[in-house]
């Protein structure tokens, strides 16, 4: 459960950071300085939060290894392989799902901006 939360947090922060960077890139040279400053501050905070989340993921990874070692003592080899596969696939699928959701949001945002510019 913690791994799911951390993966979702990492993906959420990454997506938010990407949107802020896209917004910064789309600001024209005549954009108000306050807008640029606000976006740069938001970017700085998101980068710091992303670093914290990466450290949290490392901590959860160490805990996962400890739990895996404990589980290994009680499960036969074939069940242990199933458990390890489940944990890896669950994280990968959560990451893939979240990435696709972020791409959809980004695409919708780009489409909205394109429509507004027409």
């Amino acid at each position: 459960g913690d791994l799911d939360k951390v993966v979702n947090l990492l993906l959420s922060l990454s997506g938010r950071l990407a949107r802020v960077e896209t917004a910064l890139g789309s600001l024209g040279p005549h954009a108000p300085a306050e807008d640029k400053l606000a976006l740069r501050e938001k970017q700085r905070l998101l980068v710091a939060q992303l670093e914290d989340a990466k450290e949290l993921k490392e901590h959860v990874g160490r805990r996962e290894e400890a739990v895996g070692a404990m589980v290994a003592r009680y499960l036969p080899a074939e069940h242990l392989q199933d458990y390890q596969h489940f944990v890896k696939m669950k994280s990968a699928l959560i990451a893939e799902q979240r990435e696709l959701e972020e791409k959809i949001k980004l695409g919708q945002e780009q489409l909205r901006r394109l429509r507004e510019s027409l």
Side-chain angles (χ1 to χ4, degrees):
D2 288 345
L3 182 60
D4 295 348
K5 290 174 187 173
V6 171
V7 168
N8 279 324
L9 176 62
L10 283 167
L11 294 171
S12 175
L13 290 171
S14 296
R16 289 172 57 196
L17 182 58
R19 286 193 299 277
V20 167
E21 289 173 349
T22 299
L24 269 171
S26 68
L27 286 178
H30 303 295
E34 300 86 33
D35 291 352
K36 288 180 183 179
L37 186 61
L39 284 172
R40 284 194 183 112
E41 179 63 16
K42 194 171 197 176
Q43 181 185 32
R44 186 189 67 74
L45 289 173
L46 286 169
V47 166
Q49 289 175 340
L50 191 58
E51 290 303 315
D52 290 344
K54 286 178 183 177
E55 289 178 22
L56 187 59
K57 185 178 185 297
E58 290 174 10
H59 174 72
V60 169
R62 288 190 298 271
R63 267 190 29 217
E64 180 184 334
E65 288 176 17
V67 169
M70 227 157 78
V71 168
R73 285 188 261 165
Y74 297 103
L75 290 180
E78 63 188 40
H79 292 282
L80 180 60
Q81 283 181 329
D82 290 342
Y83 167 78
Q84 290 169 337
H85 179 72
F86 171 77
V87 170
K88 285 180 185 177
M89 288 305 298
K90 186 173 182 181
S91 295
L93 289 173
I94 288 170
E96 187 175 337
Q97 177 186 6
R98 191 63 184 249
E99 185 178 329
L100 290 172
E101 289 171 354
E102 290 298 323
K103 284 181 180 180
I104 289 169
K105 284 181 187 177
L106 184 60
Q108 289 171 338
E109 188 175 313
Q110 289 172 342
L111 184 60
R112 182 185 56 80
R113 286 188 183 154
L114 181 61
R115 285 182 180 151
E116 287 174 359
S117 70
L118 294 176

